[in-house]
Amino acid sequence: MDEKTILLMKGISKSFPGVQALKNVDFDLMKGEVHGLLGENGAGKSTLIKILTGVYQKDEGEIFLEGKPVVINNPRDALNLGIAAIYQELALQPYLSVAENIFLGHEITKQSKLVRFINWKKTHEEARKILKELELDLDLNTPIKELGIGQQQMVEIAKVLSKNAKIVIMDEPTSSLSEKETEELFKVIFRLKEKGISVIYISHRLEEIFKICDRVTVMRDGEKIVTLNPKTTTKDELIRYMVGRTLEQHYPKIETKKGEEALRVENLTRKGLFENISFTAYTGEILGIAGLVGAGRTEIVRAIFGADPIDSGKIYIFGKERKITSPQDAIREGLVLIPEDRKTQGLILIQTVLDNIVLSSLPKYKKGLLLNYREMTNESFDLIKRLNIKTPTAKKVVKELSGGNQQKVVIAKWLTQKARIFIFDEPTRGIDVGAKVEIYNIMNELVKNGASVIMISSELPEILGMSDRIIVIHEGRVTAEFSREDADQEKIMKAATAAG
Amino acid sequence: MLEKAKNTQEAAKINWGKVKNILSSAGVLIALIVLSAILAILSPYFLEVENLMNIARQSAINSLIAVGMLLTILTAGIDLSVGSVLALSSVVMAILIKNMGINPLLGMIVGLGVGAFLGFLNGIMLTKLHLPHPFISTLGMMNIARGLALILTKATPISGFPPVVQFIGAGSIGVVPISFLVVIGVYIIYHIFLTRTPTGRYIYAIGGNIEAARLSGINVEKVLVIVYTLSGLMAAVGGLVLVGRVNAAYPLAGLGYELDAIAAVIIGGASFMGGVGTVWGTLVGAIIMAVIRNGLNLLSVSPEWQTVIIGSVIIGAVYLDVLRRRMETKTK
């Protein structure tokens, strides 16, 4: 191992129930290096980082820090070893000052016999010193909530430095920064380099990788694909490494006949989230919505479903303009949403399969004033059979089902309705391969029977494997539309990252 | 043939699930029986019909208020205003009947209307003003209603009502108090409401996961307004019973009743996180509280110590529930 290598991760493997998240991954980091980590959603970047920061435990492999093997069992261990991460959601206390935040959790104190008091003078001195090293002009007494998001990130970096970090991990640090703030951040990253601190830099934005990284490692499907010097490569080559060449999974796509216009949206806008979104979905087809996490896709479909408000724009359902201001409105029009997080948005976890399936159409089962349990039970049995939901009884609590079966319960809930437009938001996230195919088959059945399916997915192979038509969203705008024949991974990735 | 076998198997499993449900909600019932057995041994008078009817009468008001409280707790909310709503609705009724000479039946109905309306306002504050938690809106209402009750009566009780008003609180058929029969009737209605109507099921769904309920097309705001309206109404029903029993409307009536109602709901196995709880659990919870108070009176334990013991029972009951849940997850 060369002397300048500060971190070496060797043969790291990690699996979760039903998924192998990391397969025998090697990763190394030099002193004072900015090392980019690149890959699609689900490629294994976050898992690797979480193992390094002690959030997850590795199944196999070894970690060496400055040549010595280390054990990282929890985030505290990682911090003590000088490994610190800055996440997308900043972890600062909004009502405390800059100085307080920098030393939060490791306050500088003076010890008296009984109590530890905070040494404010020394706290401010030290904080000032750190800010000076980073050449940051911040007032130590300002409460965090009065700072812009870019400045908050600087405080986050100062905080990490105050803990004597040797390795700083930045996860999509520029995702909510303006161009000017991004420039500021890059300057600070260069100063970190000068101090001999190493940075692991995760980003989807290829331009940034080229601008600041000394080396870049590409991951895909839990494996390390390549590590190379950005100066010797091109954007196209990087994209090719990221997406791979073949569709490895099986997608049971069937031929269907495109029918009438089901949903048309025109110039849908919600300030700060998405702008001028227009597209059309037809019966008998699956419309894929591709893009990166955070591009605004979920926000768009939630607004169409009436879960969130819109500022302007029009929604047409089967040719007629409709005002949709609540999910009830959408459901009445036959438009339903299978939300991206089934646990927090799709299901009442503490209730039974039966309760969840009938929830959205309870009034339908009324006989006189009261609910007819026999009818509810019968329809649930039918749907459990039709969707092949694996549960011993309809009275099983949904919390105890596997992810794939939970997702089928969410779908079953909408099949008790006469819905004709189904929006699936990340329908196969976190479920095993077999259940994925079953979900695809349900979509096939829906479009075959004349429904319109809209599918948001961050997995390109899924988008390409199942969609008849694809639109791509980048930073709240539609940046491209492809037919099934025209689309390929590289074109979509380019539109999704606005590269090239 | 196979199909049939499967179906019967399914049915058998459902029954087993039901049995398990009943058993787990019977936990508090068993506690009540054990408690009664101990008291029966310690004091022979405890099991006398007269004393049992006393307990039935003493538990009635708390039972009535607690069923409304149960609804709010099922939605992961709370209603702190019930004691004050009880007072304001009963003094309004008293003023109408005694000072203004309105027909007593009409006066009683208006009194119930006042309770429902105050609860309705609680619901509106929560859903339309978007106050962050019903703790706040109902805390405000608790003070407002109490203040108005004192202002309207100039802080003096109003007493001496016609028999029709006294009937519900003080009357009895044979040895059975009318108030207890009202409780049984109310509980049956609420049981059916919660288990057999869409709105009742929505209440559980909202408490289980409000966001999923909303995204399932449930009009969450409407359901919450109904819940708080019913809670106010039940406080007023409690007030009606109280006025009948003591033949007077006190502006300071119902002080601290919200805490007794919450205690009954929690002892009865409802989850403070919402989504879990039954009317029968709550009824048993209210009876347990009355039994403890009654038993301690029979044993000549001072009221001060009674309070200490009630507090310990609340903590103990919830702790038992925590233990039971932990064992359940362990056996899985």
Side-chain angles (χ1 to χ4, degrees):
Chain A
M1 193 183 321
D2 121 33
E3 232 167 71
K4 286 193 68 192
T5 304
I6 180 160
L7 170 76
L8 179 65
M9 297 175 85
K10 242 174 113 175
I12 306 289
S13 292
K14 171 79 186 171
S15 26
F16 297 106
V19 211
Q20 174 130 32
L22 290 178
K23 290 169 223 158
N24 199 21
V25 172
D26 295 334
F27 181 81
D28 69 291
L29 185 66
M30 317 272 245
K31 199 167 155 57
E33 174 190 42
V34 179
H35 193 141
L37 197 53
L38 206 56
E40 285 189 281
N41 300 308
K45 295 168 302 188
S46 306
T47 311
L48 186 69
I49 292 311
K50 282 182 176 158
I51 284 173
L52 184 59
T53 52
V55 178
Y56 293 155
Q57 310 309 311
K58 58 185 172 1
D59 296 339
E60 278 168 56
E62 290 169 293
I63 302 176
F64 298 90
L65 204 63
E66 292 172 317
K68 289 187 277 292
V70 290
V71 179
I72 303 173
N73 281 328
N74 52 52
R76 188 163 282 269
D77 286 351
L79 271 181
N80 289 340
L81 291 168
I83 302 168
I86 295 167
Y87 289 105
Q88 288 164 9
E89 280 89 41
L90 302 174
L92 297 170
Q93 295 295 325
Y95 295 97
L96 298 185
S97 72
V98 169
E100 282 171 298
N101 265 287
I102 291 177
F103 288 99
L104 192 67
H106 58 123
E107 288 79 5
I108 302 175
T109 55
K110 46 190 169 195
Q111 191 84 36
S112 76
K113 281 235 164 63
L114 289 170
V115 224
R116 294 194 315 151
F117 291 103
I118 291 184
N119 186 339
W120 285 113
K121 199 165 151 247
K122 194 131 183 270
T123 299
H124 277 233
E125 271 169 24
E126 290 293 319
R128 204 167 291 123
K129 211 165 88 191
I130 292 168
L131 292 183
K132 205 173 161 202
E133 278 175 26
L134 293 170
E135 294 176 38
L136 290 173
D137 183 26
L138 283 176
D139 177 7
L140 288 174
N141 292 312
T142 315
I144 288 297
K145 68 179 171 60
E146 287 172 21
L147 298 181
I149 192 92
Q151 288 174 310
Q152 291 189 16
Q153 210 160 43
M154 300 303 171
V155 176
E156 197 59 85
I157 293 170
K159 186 174 164 181
V160 161
L161 285 190
S162 75
K163 294 176 184 166
N164 297 316
K166 289 176 239 166
I167 299 172
V168 178
I169 299 153
M170 297 188 185
D171 189 357
E172 297 275 354
T174 59
S175 58
S176 38
L177 297 191
S178 69
E179 224 165 281
K180 194 163 155 273
E181 287 171 325
T182 303
E183 284 304 316
E184 282 296 315
L185 176 70
F186 289 170
K187 276 187 208 153
V188 170
I189 290 177
F190 279 115
R191 272 170 225 132
L192 293 178
K193 273 183 69 158
E194 281 166 19
K195 281 172 61 78
I197 292 169
S198 312
V199 177
I200 300 177
Y201 190 90
I202 301 175
S203 178
H204 284 300
R205 300 188 184 176
L206 296 177
E207 318 88 88
E208 295 178 359
I209 299 285
F210 283 98
K211 208 161 183 176
I212 63 162
C213 292
D214 302 305
R215 281 190 304 163
V216 53
T217 290
V218 182
M219 293 183 69
R220 190 207 318 146
D221 298 333
E223 288 178 88
K224 172 181 149 172
I225 303 302
V226 67
T227 296
L228 37 73
N229 182 337
K231 293 191 184 69
T232 63
T233 184
T234 63
K235 275 181 191 172
D236 286 344
E237 193 185 4
L238 277 183
I239 288 175
R240 248 192 325 273
Y241 281 128
M242 275 166 75
V243 297
R245 257 164 253 257
T246 51
L247 294 187
E248 281 157 32
Q249 262 171 330
H250 181 60
Y251 295 95
K253 178 76 188 149
I254 56 165
E255 287 301 316
T256 49
K257 222 174 121 240
K258 180 166 159 179
E260 58 184 321
E261 173 188 308
L263 170 73
R264 183 168 96 242
V265 299
E266 277 181 4
N267 297 317
L268 227 51
T269 298
R270 186 166 181 213
K271 290 202 181 69
L273 292 173
F274 51 85
E275 228 173 293
N276 287 328
I277 300 292
S278 301
F279 66 84
T280 309
Y282 298 88
T283 61
E285 74 159 10
I286 297 176
L287 173 68
I289 302 186
L292 301 172
V293 169
R297 297 167 304 167
T298 295
E299 288 79 359
I300 292 166
V301 296
R302 276 180 62 94
I304 294 172
F305 183 60
D308 295 326
I310 52 171
D311 293 329
S312 61
K314 288 179 177 164
I315 297 172
Y316 298 85
I317 291 175
F318 290 103
K320 295 195 189 75
E321 187 182 350
R322 295 287 183 221
K323 285 267 170 293
I324 293 179
T325 57
S326 69
Q328 288 114 273
D329 292 343
I331 294 164
R332 205 175 304 124
E333 298 296 335
L335 186 152
V336 298
L337 172 71
I338 290 99
E340 70 178 327
D341 187 340
R342 58 185 164 268
K343 288 200 164 87
T344 62
Q345 298 164 343
L347 296 166
I348 319 286
L349 283 176
I350 59 172
Q351 293 195 342
T352 63
V353 174
L354 171 74
D355 287 330
N356 275 282
I357 289 179
V358 298
L359 182 61
S360 74
S361 38
L362 280 176
K364 188 176 95 173
Y365 304 104
K366 266 203 311 196
K367 224 180 200 170
L369 278 173
L370 302 181
L371 292 168
N372 181 339
Y373 267 84
R374 179 175 297 272
E375 223 174 274
M376 282 157 59
T377 313
N378 285 345
E379 180 149 21
S380 303
F381 279 160
D382 288 347
L383 284 165
I384 287 170
K385 208 181 292 165
R386 182 171 150 204
L387 301 188
N388 191 22
I389 299 171
K390 289 182 196 77
T391 172
T393 107
K395 297 267 175 159
K396 182 119 173 146
V397 174
V398 167
K399 189 165 61 178
E400 294 164 7
L401 299 184
S402 72
N405 285 304
Q406 287 182 349
Q407 187 70 307
K408 288 187 217 162
V409 173
V410 182
I411 298 171
K413 175 171 75 182
W414 294 129
L415 297 181
T416 63
Q417 302 260 345
K418 289 199 175 65
R420 290 198 65 194
I421 304 168
F422 292 81
I423 303 177
F424 289 80
D425 193 352
E426 303 284 3
T428 64
R429 178 184 286 171
I431 67 183
D432 60 63
V433 179
K436 276 186 184 181
V437 173
E438 288 186 82
I439 303 275
Y440 299 140
N441 281 326
I442 294 169
M443 289 185 194
N444 281 338
E445 192 198 312
L446 290 173
V447 290
K448 202 170 73 192
N449 293 330
S452 163
V453 168
I454 297 167
M455 176 184 70
I456 293 182
S457 173
S458 299
E459 286 183 37
L460 278 183
E462 178 171 282
I463 286 277
L464 287 166
M466 288 308 295
S467 311
D468 295 291
R469 211 152 45 82
I470 297 154
I471 60 172
V472 187
I473 309 282
H474 172 67
E475 295 186 346
R477 289 161 200 271
V478 179
T479 49
E481 176 171 343
F482 303 104
S483 67
R484 181 176 178 80
E485 297 73 39
D486 288 345
D488 66 39
Q489 304 210 16
E490 287 164 43
K491 282 186 195 164
I492 293 176
M493 205 60 190
K494 267 188 183 167
T497 54
Chain B
M1 192 64 195
L2 197 76
E3 200 74 339
K4 221 175 191 175
K6 247 187 190 166
N7 276 342
T8 44
Q9 206 183 354
E10 191 73 60
K13 270 175 190 158
I14 287 167
N15 283 342
W16 172 234
K18 250 186 192 158
V19 169
K20 227 167 78 183
N21 266 344
I22 290 165
L23 274 181
S24 71
S25 64
V28 272
L29 190 58
I30 292 166
L32 175 60
I33 292 167
V34 171
L35 186 67
S36 304
I38 295 171
L39 287 170
I41 294 165
L42 291 177
S43 164
Y45 178 67
F46 179 78
L47 280 183
E48 300 263 316
V49 172
E50 193 189 347
N51 188 50
L52 292 180
M53 290 306 131
N54 248 336
I55 293 171
R57 194 173 291 119
Q58 283 161 356
S59 66
I61 296 171
N62 190 20
S63 301
L64 292 168
I65 300 173
V67 77
M69 185 68 74
L70 170 68
L71 301 187
T72 66
I73 288 179
L74 282 177
T75 63
I78 197 142
D79 186 350
L80 297 179
S81 68
V82 287
S84 303
V85 169
L86 177 150
L88 181 55
S89 61
S90 56
V91 301
V92 168
M93 177 186 80
I95 288 169
L96 289 175
I97 296 172
K98 291 285 294 179
N99 300 5
M100 300 173 72
I102 280 174
N103 176 311
L105 267 178
L106 185 64
M108 285 157 80
I109 291 169
V110 173
L112 295 180
V114 168
F117 179 69
L118 296 172
F120 173 78
L121 290 182
N122 278 332
I124 293 295
M125 283 192 279
L126 178 65
T127 57
K128 296 287 181 239
L129 302 188
H130 300 287
L131 296 188
H133 194 279
F135 193 100
I136 294 160
S137 44
T138 62
L139 180 66
M141 181 59 79
M142 175 178 168
N143 287 288
I144 293 169
R146 179 68 64 194
L148 289 177
L150 286 162
I151 292 166
L152 286 177
T153 57
K154 303 200 177 63
T156 38
I158 301 170
S159 56
F161 291 95
V164 70
V165 179
Q166 293 183 44
F167 181 67
I168 293 182
S172 57
I173 296 176
V175 289
V176 184
I178 298 291
S179 55
F180 188 66
L181 297 176
V182 170
V183 167
I184 298 298
V186 161
Y187 269 73
I188 290 173
I189 293 170
Y190 274 95
H191 171 71
I192 293 171
F193 170 64
L194 281 175
T195 57
R196 299 288 302 274
T197 70
T199 308
R201 301 313 301 164
Y202 294 160
I203 289 170
Y204 283 98
I206 289 171
N209 184 343
I210 191 167
E211 178 68 3
R214 202 166 81 89
L215 293 181
S216 297
I218 293 172
N219 190 338
V220 171
E221 300 191 343
K222 187 174 127 193
V223 174
L224 287 176
V225 170
I226 292 173
V227 162
Y228 284 89
T229 304
L230 288 174
S231 180
L233 174 68
M234 290 321 297
V237 174
L240 216 57
V241 173
L242 182 63
V243 169
R245 200 166 92 195
V246 299
N247 196 14
Y250 292 91
L252 286 176
L255 274 177
Y257 280 20
E258 62 282 348
L259 301 178
D260 277 359
I262 294 167
V265 172
I266 296 304
I267 291 174
S271 160
F272 227 66
M273 315 288 286
V276 178
T278 65
V279 293
W280 304 122
T282 298
L283 182 60
V284 174
I287 293 174
I288 284 183
M289 290 188 56
V291 164
I292 293 174
R293 288 222 168 99
N294 174 275
L296 295 175
N297 272 333
L298 293 183
L299 299 175
S300 318
V301 176
S302 72
E304 292 84 352
W305 277 105
Q306 290 187 20
T307 316
V308 173
I309 291 169
I310 294 270
S312 314
V313 168
I314 295 170
I315 294 169
V318 177
Y319 182 61
L320 278 180
D321 197 47
V322 169
L323 284 184
R324 187 176 60 81
R325 252 166 251 217
R326 207 176 289 163
M327 270 171 36
E328 257 180 27
T329 44
K330 252 186 203 157
T331 52
K332 251 160 221 155

